[in-house]
């Protein structure tokens, strides 16, 4: 698995339109906290596919995660870029994809919000949003 900073992930997704972008957080996190966007000139922004790997509130893994990604990707030859909240869940999700035969898996270091700071807040020191990259919240 390769690890990319948020800016490197953004640039990779721009340069590789065949790549599949996956946000492996829960649906609530994806919509309520917000999610990454990749702005492509002259096209609709690229939004990550929200395919939950692990719901941290329920402490449950999605047993269909690999198959759900396969449905989106079509085959294991397409690169996959995975983002989560802080860059930890996406590592285990990426490992599951590698075990299923994916050859090119990229984890977004720091995730969408980054780690907790000393005041138990996210997004204050790192992550996709902190890097000033495009995102939306629905």
């Amino acid at each position: 698995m390769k690890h990319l900073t948020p800016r490197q992930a953004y640039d990779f997704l721009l340069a590789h339109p065949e790549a599949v972008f996956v946000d492996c957080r829960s649906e609530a996190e994806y919509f309520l906290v917000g999610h990454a966007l990749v702005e492509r000139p002259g096209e609709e922004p690229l939004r990550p596919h929200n395919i939950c790997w692990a719901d941290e509130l329920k402490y449950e893994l999605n047993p269909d995660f690999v198959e759900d990604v396969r449905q989106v990707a079509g085959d294991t030859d397409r690169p996959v870029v995975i983002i989560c909240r802080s860059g930890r869940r996406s590592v285990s999700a990426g490992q599951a994809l590698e075990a299923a035969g994916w050859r090119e898996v990229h984890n977004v270091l720091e995730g969408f919000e980054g780690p907790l700071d000393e005041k138990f807040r996210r997004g204050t020191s790192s992550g996709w949003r902190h890097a000033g990259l495009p995102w939306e919240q629905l």
Side-chain angles (χ1 to χ4, degrees):
M1 181 178 322
K2 297 176 184 160
H3 300 280
L4 305 173
T5 66
R7 168 55 69 186
Q8 290 170 330
Y10 187 88
D11 292 342
F12 179 87
L13 289 162
L14 277 176
H16 296 88
E18 76 282 6
V20 177
F21 192 18
V22 173
D23 186 321
C24 68
R25 297 175 298 157
S26 71
E27 185 177 38
E29 289 173 286
Y30 181 86
F31 286 109
L32 299 177
V33 176
H35 52 270
L37 290 178
V38 177
E39 294 177 341
R40 303 176 295 182
E43 297 182 52
E44 280 290 311
L46 172 65
R47 291 171 175 84
H49 297 276
N50 181 218
I51 304 172
C52 181
W53 164 245
D55 186 326
E56 292 212 348
L57 294 177
K58 296 179 185 177
Y59 300 104
E60 294 176 358
L61 292 180
N62 174 5
D64 300 320
F65 177 78
V66 170
E67 185 54 36
D68 292 346
V69 173
R70 190 181 318 275
Q71 290 294 318
V72 171
D75 69 62
T76 57
D77 289 333
R78 288 180 70 188
V80 176
V81 177
I82 306 176
I83 191 169
C84 66
R85 180 181 62 200
S86 65
R88 291 183 346 156
R89 252 182 295 182
S90 50
V91 170
S92 56
Q95 290 168 339
L97 292 176
E98 288 178 326
W102 261 268
R103 294 176 196 54
E104 191 175 349
V105 178
H106 303 267
N107 170 53
V108 180
L109 294 168
E110 306 164 3
F112 183 67
E113 296 180 87
L116 291 171
D117 68 12
E118 67 281 348
K119 294 183 180 179
F120 303 101
R121 297 173 302 176
R122 294 189 188 277
T124 61
S125 64
S126 63
W128 186 280
R129 286 194 321 190
H130 188 269
L133 296 169
W135 63 283
E136 67 183 358
Q137 186 175 27
L138 304 176

